[in-house]
Amino acid sequence: MIVYKFGGTSLADAERIRHAAGLVKDCAGPRVVVVSALAGVTDELVALADRAGTGSGAAGDLARLTEALWVRHEEAASGIFGAAPERAALMGRIDEVFSRLQAVLETAAVAAEVADRLRALDEVSAVGEDLSAQLMAAALAQAGLDAEVVDARSVVRTDDRFGGAVPRDEETARLIGKVLGPLLEAGRVPVLQGFVGATDDGTTTTLGRGGSDFTAAIIGAALGAEEVGIWTDVDGVLSAEPGHVGEARVLSELGYEEAVELAYFGAKVIHPAAAKHAAAGDVSLRVRNSGRPDSEGTLIRHDVRRVAGVAAVAFKPSVTLVKVRSRPMFMAYGFLARVFDVLARHRLPVDLVATSHTSTAFTLDEGEGLGAAAEELGRFAEVEVIPDLATVSVVGHGLLRRPGISAGVFSSLGGTPVHLISQASDVCLSFLVAADEAPAVVRRLHAELIESAPEGVGEAG
Ligand code: ADP
Ligand code: ASP
Ligand code: MG
């Protein structure tokens, strides 16, 4: 059993959708297809929902944006079916989704409560996947496969943290087996929206941006898939973001832990939760280029050949550093517990941490904001906040064991000031620099630790 997930970059228009359907057809045996929205559509939907929710869009603007989205999907439908009679049925289903979108936008426009707006935002952003799933199932049918859209809301059960809902693993796995199992046995090809889930009462949720990879990993793990293919627009996981480092090379294999760290610290080619979930379910992920299906891509799994060295470099912008220093009167041994208790109560997820006897420093994503937590921390400590930083991470294997890696890292930094250093494991070394310095630092690290490394060393596989 294989799960194929197509990202928006692989589903830009009718031609790309038909090409993706051809890849599914070429894959023999039972398979499940997971789709993202067409490229750029989620961004447009989020903008639409924001305008409706904040009342900042004139009614005419909203109508024009919605119309443009409709035209794009109508063109894709026509490109798949031409004038064939099936086109009318497909357009009927697409129009149904647009009517629902219209209704949600109207609700969002009158929603006074922020919670209601977040709920509406999820309903609106899920529409992109609702539409692409219809288009993909149609393209698969055109390719001669017996495809059927299965609404992800009927199998992916989540909590109600809108915008970043957490799937309930057991219930979701049970539903996936119950709903998809019989379809696969009957030789059908289920097509599901990535990124989309629902609470117990059926309210739409989303798993966070880039979450379709996560959906694919969840389905792959629940069904014990041989492999989850993550089809995208690059040749696999590269040793750095190709847009920043022209010399970045494809990693043929990567361990789960390296993949999680890399994804978490900036490599958006794979969602961190997908790698984490695949590891827990022991399912291999293969990141591949849908435009070059003959290339092998990157295999992410447990038992990769272990060569100590640096595999990749990544950076994550928009990070804030918070330094908390205990007041002399305060008893040092209770300090850390007190700091983290405040952060936990305010639900602030911390990325990197470094501590000394009397102070601790940690990072937050810029969007998180310290808010009321800063005031609480200020009651027993001095708090300093430094914004506009980036986390730069060096990921690989045996980083602590291989001599010279830290020296190489710090010599590549040259004169760049470093705000915090953190290394909690053998696979990832991270530090903070000013956000505008990060791309250059990454290029220097890549040149020093990867390009100049002997062949084979530096690749985790
Ligand atoms: P999809 O729509 O297929 O989900 P994404 O845009 O989410 O695609 O992810 C693919 C993009 O991730 C690539 O186009 C590339 O620019 C970016 N990227 C960032 N870091 C890396 C990396 N280390 N390796 C490969 N791609 C990366
Ligand atoms: N369409 C969603 C997004 O753009 C989910 C995904 O692409 O994985 O974030
Ligand atoms: Mg993605």
Side-chain angles (χ1 to χ4, degrees), residues 149-324:
V149 174
V150 173
D151 193 337
R153 295 170 185 83
S154 68
V155 293
V156 180
R157 273 285 167 281
T158 71
D159 63 14
D160 63 356
R161 274 179 252 182
F162 298 106
V166 180
R168 294 218 305 271
D169 292 343
E170 272 179 35
E171 179 67 351
T172 299
R174 189 185 66 75
L175 289 168
I176 287 170
K178 185 176 150 209
V179 176
L180 302 189
L183 292 175
L184 292 169
E185 265 166 43
R188 313 198 69 186
V189 182
V191 180
L192 294 96
Q193 313 93 318
F195 173 62
V196 176
T199 60
D200 282 337
D201 67 4
T203 306
T204 301
T205 53
T206 67
L207 309 183
R209 297 303 305 268
S212 297
D213 300 331
F214 190 13
T215 306
I218 290 170
I219 294 174
L223 295 174
E226 284 145 51
E227 199 168 288
V228 174
I230 305 284
W231 292 93
T232 184
D233 65 343
V234 282
D235 283 348
V237 180
L238 275 74
S239 53
E241 180 165 351
H244 287 289
V245 182
E247 294 75 15
R249 53 200 195 204
V250 181
L251 306 173
S252 56
E253 288 187 316
L254 201 59
Y256 287 122
E257 224 184 314
E258 289 97 312
V260 173
E261 299 285 3
L262 205 51
Y264 193 78
F265 286 116
K268 105 178 222 264
V269 64
I270 181 103
H271 192 284
K276 222 170 181 174
H277 202 86
D282 202 8
V283 181
S284 305
L285 302 175
R286 190 183 287 278
V287 181
R288 307 175 73 173
N289 190 341
S290 59
R292 297 186 349 113
D294 293 335
S295 58
E296 292 280 297
T298 302
L299 187 59
I300 302 173
R301 60 186 176 121
H302 265 309
D303 46 349
V304 293
R305 185 167 57 87
R306 294 297 195 181
V307 179
V310 175
V313 194
F315 77 96
K316 181 175 160 187
S318 308
V319 171
T320 299
L321 175 64
V322 184
K323 290 183 179 175
V324 185

Side-chain angles (χ1 to χ4, degrees), residues 11-83:
L11 303 172
D13 51 27
E15 194 191 331
R16 304 285 298 153
I17 297 169
R18 283 212 310 261
H19 173 72
L23 295 174
V24 176
K25 189 170 188 188
D26 291 346
C27 159
R31 60 272 213 225
V32 176
V33 177
V34 173
V35 287
S36 293
L38 308 197
V41 166
T42 310
D43 286 341
E44 288 173 35
L45 288 165
V46 169
L48 202 57
D50 275 350
R51 285 183 180 213
T54 56
S56 62
D61 276 357
L62 292 182
R64 207 170 22 78
L65 289 171
T66 313
E67 170 76 10
L69 275 173
W70 182 86
V71 168
R72 177 143 177 227
H73 289 87
E74 192 274 332
E75 280 172 5
S78 301
I80 290 166
F81 279 134

